Amino acid sequence: MGHRIVLMGPPGAGKGTQSERLAEHLGAPHYSTGDMLRSARDSGTELGREADHYMSAGELVPDEVVLGIVREVLTEGPGQEGFVLDGFPRTVPQAEGLAAILDDDDRALDRVLNLRVPEEELVRRLTERRVCRENDHVTSVDEAEDGGCPICGSRLVQRDDDTPETVRRRLSVYDRRTRPVLEWYRRRSEVPVQDIEGTGTVDEVSARLLSRIGP
Ligand code: AMP
C-alpha cells in the first residue's frame, strides 16, 4: 500500500508545487481540488460553472461538491493505492467526509503535513504569482523572461483570485474555516500532524518535507 498524505497550509504556502514534487518522489498521484475545479471551469461543465462563482470571490466551493470529486478519485483509479491531497480538506466536514470515504475501504491517512509561512510572505507570494497559459507552470512576476514563462515561454497571466482584495478574502476564509481542520486532526490524534517551515527556496522546503517522510 502506498502513502496516503494530506498537505495543508494557507493559500500561497507552496502546497501545489510541493505536493507535486512529493507525489513524484513517492510515485503516487497528486490530487489538487483547486486544479480539478479550475479545469472543470475551463471546460465549461456544469460543475465548473457552479464552482466559478465561489472561486472568483475567494470563497469555498460547497463541501458536498468537493467531496463528490474527491470520493471519485479516491475510490476509482490510481488513488486507491495511495495519494497526495493538496487543498483538501479545507473544512471540518470535508475532513470528516474524507475519513468516512477511507474508512469504508478500511483505509486511513498516514500523515498530515502542514506548511507554515508568515502572512506577509503569503500576500507577497500570491500577488506576485503568475501562471502560464499553455502549461500552467507557476512562477513569479520577477521570474518572467520577456514577459513570458521562464520554463516554456508562453504568456503569463494572473489567476483571477490572486488580486489583493481576493487574496485578503482567501486568507480570512483560511483562518475561519481551514485552520480548525488542523486542530481537528491534532485533537483526534489518529493521524500525526507535522508542521514544516515553508519559507526558503523550493528545494529547501522539498528537502524538509522529504526528511519527514523517510526513505
Ligand atoms: P487553490 O488552488 O487550492 O488555492 O483553490 C482555489 C479555489 O478553489 C479556492 O479558493 C476555492 O474557491 C476552491 N477550492 C479548492 N479546493 C477546495 C476545497 N477543498 N473546498 C472548497 N473549495 C475549494
Side-chain angles (χ1 to χ4, degrees), residues 47-68:
L47 165 77
R49 277 198 298 276
E50 187 188 347
D52 183 33
H53 162 74
Y54 298 97
M55 294 168 80
S56 323
E59 299 288 345
L60 295 183
V61 173
D63 289 336
E64 40 311 351
V65 174
V66 183
L67 270 166

Side-chain angles (χ1 to χ4, degrees), residues 110-115 186 192-196 212-213:
D110 296 316
R111 64 183 83 235
V112 173
L113 299 169
N114 178 43
L115 284 175
R186 289 193 218 272
V193 180
Q194 295 167 310
D195 290 320
I196 286 128
R212 294 306 185 91
I213 305 284

